[in-house]
Amino acid sequence: EVQLVESGGGLVQAGGSLRLSCAASGFTFDDYGVGWFRQAPGKEREGVSCVSSSDGSTYYADSVKGRFTISSDNAKNTVYLQMNSLKPEDTAVYYCVADCFFLDTIVAGTDDYWGQGTQVTVSS
């Protein structure tokens, strides 16, 4: 059974940093690309970042490039999202996803699995 458990969300002031973690089980990072989506109130879910299962390439939404960094620890089956220089518009529920890839934008595949989400709130 695939499970994804996020942690690390919280409240931070603009300009601050947070690191999200996603502990995965039931698959390996060779099976699926793993990444992060987010959904702000009243907005559609947005792909934020993804690590390719084939070659470890990393992809980012334009809105977070240069500020967010995705990484993975295959031994721990955990993926991280380091978020720096946070802005109020980064406020959202962040979801870890298994089976993501990049097609001009970050998308979820047909085998997509989702975590329960973790709230990130950035105050101005």
Side-chain angles (χ1 to χ4, degrees):
E1 179 187 5
V2 173
Q3 287 191 325
L4 300 163
V5 179
E6 301 102 333
S7 61
L11 173 64
V12 65
Q13 288 188 333
S17 299
L18 283 174
R19 189 175 83 152
L20 305 183
S21 300
C22 173
S25 60
F27 70 101
T28 71
F29 292 166
D30 290 335
D31 298 326
Y32 295 117
V34 184
W36 297 89
F37 281 63
R38 67 185 181 186
Q39 188 165 22
K43 295 189 177 181
E44 293 187 357
R45 193 170 289 186
E46 172 193 23
V48 174
S49 185
C50 179
V51 180
S52 167
S53 61
S54 59
D55 61 4
S57 296
T58 57
Y59 303 95
Y60 298 92
D62 288 343
S63 58
V64 306
K65 279 180 183 176
R67 301 187 298 121
F68 290 12
T69 303
I70 192 170
S71 61
S72 61
D73 185 332
N74 288 9
K76 295 182 178 180
N77 231 35
T78 300
V79 64
Y80 305 96
L81 186 68
Q82 178 67 43
M83 306 185 295
N84 298 330
S85 302
L86 282 161
K87 304 175 181 180
E89 50 264 44
D90 294 317
T91 294
V93 177
Y94 283 70
Y95 297 91
C96 181
V97 62
D99 194 15
C100 62
F101 55 98
F102 184 77
L103 279 177
D104 293 330
T105 186
I106 296 165
V107 297
T110 54
D111 287 343
D112 57 325
Y113 299 95
W114 298 83
Q116 81 284 358
T118 185
Q119 177 71 46
V120 171
T121 303
V122 184
S123 63
S124 58

